Each structure stands twice: as structure tokens, then as C-alpha cells.
Amino acid sequence: MTLPSIAAVQGRKDDNASLESNSHDLKSEDHFEVDDDGVEYPTEEERATLRRVPDTLPWNAYLIAIVELAERFSFYGSNVVFTNFIQKPLPGGSHTGAGGLHGQSGALGRGQRASTGLTTFYQFWCYVTPLLGAYIADTYWGRYKTICVAVGIAFIGHVVLIVAGVPGVIEHESAIGVFAVALANISPLVAEQYKGRKAFVITTTRGERVIVDPVLTVTRIYMYFYLFINIGALVGKISMTYSEKFVGFYLSFTLPTVVFLLCPIVLVAGRNRYTRSPPTGSVLAKAIRLWRFAARDKWSLNPVKTYRNFTAPGFWENAKPSKQSAESKPTWMTFDDQWVDEVQRGVKACGVFCWFPIYWLTYNQLNNNLVSQAAEMSTHGLPNDVLSNLDPITLVILIPLFDILFYPALRRMGINFSALKKITAGFMTGAAAMVWAAVVQHYIYKTNPCGTHAASCEAPNVSPLNVWIQAGAYILIAISEIFASITGLEYAFIKAPKNMRSLVMAIFLFMSAISAALGEAFVSLSGDPLLVWNYGVMGSLLLL
């Protein structure tokens, strides 16, 4: 599960404390330093020799985790049944879309390409809205109010979804219109803030002196937010797939709405405990103006020359206010040289994200084509969309193991498993998942009574292959999320300047929107007899 997360985490230092973006590059005196609160900072020798550990997480983090759990329950609980709702027709004699033990649930009967197209648009819309939310929060409302308004809009979308699934509406063509309106109103909540602190030294109960590293603390924060999110997603997806199969779509849309109501309750109950950031003006507008100013006279008809000009060392330096004369300095340039340096850092962080749209292309197969693939095999009474829960199950099991065993073991062995190495490992694992899916699809075509048009066969005339052979693809995707998705969120936070964290995080999430837009170009491959090519192309692009 990918997470657009709410992380309002209260640190233990004052508001002027800052996170060390790279704990190994900081300078200190040869002797140890102790501040007014009795916090001891490491010497240069200690930085090189002492073991590093993450800090403990404050209670506010767990309070927000409850909000995330409820929101992800509602998001994925609704989302998991979208493919069947769009693709499969209403079962004979059914007024709710329920297929029963041996039947296939459905409603609109628009086919696999329409299903993939609409769910891909939904993913696009979900990850475009964070940019708008970041702009509104920074310029007008602040983060807390923006989140509260977003909760209200999402609730309206949930209610409209229920209307699309009730008997009397689901049986008519008008259900597609109501469903489309709902897709345009449910969007993830996005806000991120973290009060950081410098690395400091403590003595453990075993007498070992260790460095509490803020970078590792951020890693732990995102690991466990991902854990809570996937607990909510797991419960939501399993319960809603069975609700869809045995009761109907109206119930699988109603229960997530009820759970979603926990979000405003927790937000209001804890309103006095959250750190609220007042609006400070749009960083995005200023940053774009600065980039345009820096890029003047750098353009060329030769794209290679343009690239070299844009990546030259003096690109940002020449745009600093101190380099401008009184006559050439624009009226909007009210910031200082340090702010230009911060924008440069933010742009560098965003450069790493340019590769993520290709990764999300493979991840998004989990929400549409792999669900359809399961319906083409022998499910033995299992809902075809329940197998996708192997993804959150794997994440719930492996995230604590990675945090407690795997990553600490690498640190003890002196292996620097950096953020970029983790992301690369995630891309390779995602490509392996697509290879697995392509092989499964090949054997479905070989064993299905309808051959390479397997989707046209309805149960029980499907491939004799057991649906559980899909498991490898879901498990590999989950492992790739730990390496790539969680690390991407961590990287966006650590590398971004303090005044650009919301914007950089929104840009990271926007990569999913770009991926969804690219996915629309591959919709023509999302149907028989081209599905082997579909998975093969996704995996090959990710390896490249």
C-alpha cells in the first residue's frame, strides 16, 4: 500500500531545532558538548565509532497513526472492489451485485479496459490533489484546517459511492455517472510535519554508549506509519471483498464510510496536541519564479547545451539576491541567499523522484490487472480480489523484521545500505514481480478453455490453475514497497529544506499521478491477448 500520510510528530527540542540531513557530515569539537537540557552531543571520534540507533516515537505519532489506520481502511476498503464493480456485469437475479459463493460479483459490466482506465484515472486524481492541498495549506489555511476540509470532501465522496451501490441505482446505467462523481471526491489526506533534533549520545541499560540518530528516527517513523496504514488496509480489503461477494456493493461502500468517521473524531479530540503551522505564503510560486529567473539566457536550440547550462555549478549561484544590482533585482525577490540554497536542495531531492513514475506503473497492476487475472483462475470460492491482501499481510509481517533485525544487522556489519541503494533494490524487486505475473498469465492462456481470450470465460469455465500461484507477485511487490516507497517518503523529508517539506512531499506523491497518466497509454495492453506483453513491458521499463 502506498501512503499519502498524515505525520504530525512532536519532537523533544524547541521549534528552532533542525534535522541533520546527513549525520556523518556534521562538524563538532573534539570534546563533547552538553546543552541546557543536559543533552550530550557526540564528538568527532564518537561519530565514527559509536553505533547509531533511532529515537523513541512520541505518543502524538500513535494518535495520528489511528487516523491513518481509519483513513486507509476506508480508502482501500472501497478501492479494492472498484475493479469488479466496473468490469464485471451484474449477476443474474442480483439487485446488489453480490455473486455468492461460486458466482462472480459485478455491477457495470464495462470490461477490463474500462476498469483499468477508470481506476488509473482514480489513482491520477488522488495524487494530483496533494499539490493543490500543499498550496492551499501554505498560502491560506495552514495544515490543520486544510486536513479538516479534506476530510469533509472525502466523506461526501464516500456517501456518493454508497448511492451508486444501493439496489435500484446499481441496476441502471446511471450508476456509472454516480460512481464517476464519487471517484472525483475521494482523495488521500496529505500533510507532513516533523520537529527534528541533532544527533545526541545516550547510555543504554546495558552500559553501551550509542548515538541517537535523527535520520534513523525518520526511517523508523515512516516504517511504522506504513505498518499502521497496512493494518487498516488489510482489515478493510478483506472485510469489504467478502461484503461485496455475499451481501453487495452497498455494504462494501458503507462500512468504510463508518470507519472513516473516526478521522474527524480523532482530529478534533487531539486538536490542542498537534503542532500547527500557520500559512506562510506559497513556496511553489516563489520557487518557480526563482527558477525562471535563474534559467534566463540558459536556453538553447541544442538540448545537450541546454542541459549543460541547467546543470552548471553557477546556475543557482547567479540567481542569488546578493549577485543582483539594485537595477536588476526584481521586486518579488524579497528572500535571501540562504533561501536560494534551500530551493536548490529541494530541486535536487525532486530529481531522484523522476524515476518513480515507472515504479508506480508496476505497483498499480496490483489494483486492477492482477485482480482481473485472479478471476481467470480457479478460486475455489475465494473472492478474486481478496488475494491482493497478501501485499499488506507481507508488509505487516516484514516491516517490524526489517526495523528490528535486517537494517540493524546491516549497520552492525558496516554495510552502508543508503537510501538510493534501497530504492534501486525496490525497483529490481518490483521488476521481478512483473516477471512472475507475466509467467502466470502465459500459463493461464495455455490452460484456459478460451485460450488467449481468458477474460471472456466465466466460472467455472476458467483455467484450472490455482489462484494462489499469484502469491509471489504480491509478496515481491510488498518487499519492493519497503525498499522503494517507504525510503522515497523518508528521502523526501530528510533532503527537503524545512520550509519546503510539504511541497517536496507533494511532488513525491505527484509522481504517482504522472505514473497514472502514463498508465493510460498502456490501457490498450490491459486486455486479452496482450496481458503477457503488459506485464513484460512494465518489468522491462523498471529494470531500465
Side-chain angles (χ1 to χ4, degrees):
M1 303 297 138
T2 185
L3 81 124
S5 69
I6 302 175
V9 185
Q10 178 64 53
R12 286 186 276 174
K13 289 291 286 179
D14 62 82
D15 289 344
N16 294 322
S18 61
L19 180 71
E20 296 177 353
S21 61
N22 190 324
S23 56
H24 295 280
D25 294 338
L26 299 176
K27 297 180 180 179
S28 68
E29 302 296 332
D30 290 335
H31 60 280
F32 67 82
E33 303 173 39
V34 179
D35 69 4
D36 295 337
D37 296 329
V39 177
E40 180 184 344
Y41 298 120
T43 64
E44 199 67 35
E45 181 183 356
E46 288 175 329
R47 291 181 186 279
T49 58
L50 295 186
R51 186 166 64 92
R52 293 172 180 265
V53 298
D55 201 355
T56 55
L57 303 185
W59 281 106
N60 275 10
Y62 297 103
L63 185 64
I64 295 300
I66 295 174
V67 177
E68 279 298 333
L69 190 150
E71 193 272 334
R72 292 291 94 179
F73 179 103
S74 68
F75 179 85
Y76 284 106
S78 300
N79 185 39
V80 70
V81 300
F82 284 173
T83 298
N84 284 345
F85 187 88
I86 301 167
Q87 178 180 347
K88 301 298 182 181
L90 196 72
S94 174
H95 300 286
T96 63
L101 182 61
H102 298 293
Q104 175 62 56
S105 300
L108 303 179
R110 296 302 176 108
Q112 186 166 348
R113 284 191 174 91
S115 169
T116 302
L118 275 173
T119 54
T120 301
F121 164 76
Y122 175 58
Q123 295 292 327
F124 171 80
W125 182 253
C126 285
Y127 294 103
V128 165
T129 51
L131 284 175
L132 177 62
Y135 176 80
I136 293 174
D138 289 342
T139 308
Y140 300 107
W141 291 346
R143 290 171 178 170
Y144 181 77
K145 182 178 179 180
T146 304
I147 292 171
C148 292
V149 172
V151 167
I153 295 173
F155 178 73
I156 293 172
H158 276 294
V159 172
V160 177
L161 267 182
I162 296 171
V163 173
V166 298
V169 176
I170 196 173
E171 298 141 275
H172 302 289
E173 287 292 310
S174 58
I176 184 64
V178 179
F179 182 77
V181 170
L183 291 191
N185 281 279
I186 297 180
S187 62
L189 308 175
V190 181
E192 197 279 336
Q193 57 178 343
Y194 173 69
K195 296 292 183 181
R197 57 184 298 174
K198 294 181 179 180
F200 61 97
V201 178
I202 62 170
T203 302
T204 67
T205 55
R206 296 181 179 179
E208 180 188 8
R209 285 172 61 81
V210 295
I211 295 176
V212 177
D213 193 330
V215 177
L216 297 183
T217 304
V218 172
T219 300
R220 169 167 283 182
I221 286 171
Y222 282 113
M223 292 277 281
Y224 282 96
F225 269 104
Y226 224 77
L227 174 67
F228 274 89
I229 281 165
N230 280 278
I231 290 173
L234 174 62
V235 177
K237 292 181 72 173
I238 291 179
S239 55
M240 294 315 103
T241 51
Y242 279 97
S243 297
E244 159 214 41
K245 188 169 183 65
F246 295 105
V247 179
F249 286 99
Y250 74 91
L251 182 62
S252 61
F253 292 148
T254 300
L255 293 180
T257 306
V258 174
V259 175
F260 183 78
L261 289 175
L262 283 174
C263 293
I265 293 173
V266 175
L267 283 172
V268 172
R271 64 188 181 279
N272 295 324
R273 301 190 61 182
Y274 304 137
T275 302
R276 303 194 197 183
S277 300
T280 57
S282 173
V283 177
L284 178 61
K286 285 183 181 180
I288 291 175
R289 276 185 168 182
L290 175 63
W291 180 84
R292 289 174 59 189
F293 184 80
R296 70 195 192 286
D297 303 326
K298 301 292 193 302
W299 298 94
S300 171
L301 293 177
N302 185 339
V304 176
K305 185 177 180 180
T306 300
Y307 174 78
R308 288 175 178 172
N309 289 340
F310 277 43
T311 55
F315 180 83
W316 294 101
E317 186 68 24
N318 295 330
K320 290 182 175 180
S322 63
K323 300 291 184 180
Q324 315 306 317
S325 64
E327 295 79 16
S328 65
K329 186 176 180 180
T331 56
W332 50 264
M333 192 174 281
T334 56
F335 41 80
D336 56 16
D337 289 1
Q338 183 181 354
W339 196 85
V340 178
D341 291 334
E342 291 178 346
V343 172
Q344 183 180 6
R345 281 179 53 201
V347 171
K348 279 188 175 181
C350 294
V352 176
F353 304 155
C354 292
W355 300 102
F356 269 85
I358 301 173
Y359 170 74
W360 295 126
L361 276 176
T362 63
Y363 170 83
N364 288 338
Q365 302 304 302
L366 182 149
N367 299 315
N368 40 59
N369 285 323
L370 286 178
V371 174
S372 301
Q373 185 186 74
E376 299 166 359
M377 293 185 280
S378 298
T379 61
H380 304 286
L382 194 74
N384 68 303
D385 41 11
V386 80
L387 207 67
S388 63
N389 290 289
L390 283 174
D391 175 78
I393 288 173
T394 303
L395 286 166
V396 168
I397 294 171
L398 291 185
I399 284 176
L401 293 179
F402 270 65
D403 179 60
I404 297 170
L405 298 176
F406 182 65
Y407 287 154
L410 291 180
R411 290 195 293 269
R412 286 191 177 95
M413 291 186 289
I415 298 175
N416 179 24
F417 199 31
S418 65
L420 294 181
K421 291 177 182 177
K422 291 178 187 176
I423 292 171
T424 302
F427 283 16
M428 295 177 65
T429 312
M434 291 301 97
V435 172
W436 189 294
V439 172
V440 170
Q441 190 66 48
H442 170 73
Y443 281 100
I444 288 174
Y445 286 157
K446 287 188 67 175
T447 58
N448 194 283
C450 299
T452 56
H453 292 81
S456 60
C457 282
E458 297 292 338
N461 298 316
V462 294
S463 170
L465 295 175
N466 193 303
V467 72
W468 285 100
I469 67 172
Q470 262 197 327
Y474 287 112
I475 293 172
L476 287 170
I477 288 175
I479 295 173
S480 77
E481 288 180 69
I482 296 176
F483 286 136
S485 182
I486 297 177
T487 306
L489 290 163
E490 168 199 341
Y491 190 87
F493 178 84
I494 291 175
K495 295 298 181 182
K498 185 176 180 180
N499 67 337
M500 295 184 67
R501 283 174 183 166
S502 292
L503 176 61
V504 172
M505 187 67 70
I507 291 173
F508 173 71
L509 296 174
F510 182 66
M511 295 301 105
S512 293
I514 295 176
S515 174
L518 291 174
E520 293 291 350
F522 291 96
V523 168
S524 59
L525 293 178
S526 299
D528 296 327
L530 302 174
L531 285 166
V532 174
W533 280 96
N534 174 73
Y535 300 122
V537 168
M538 300 297 177
S540 299
L541 287 174
L542 195 53
L543 277 178
L544 293 175

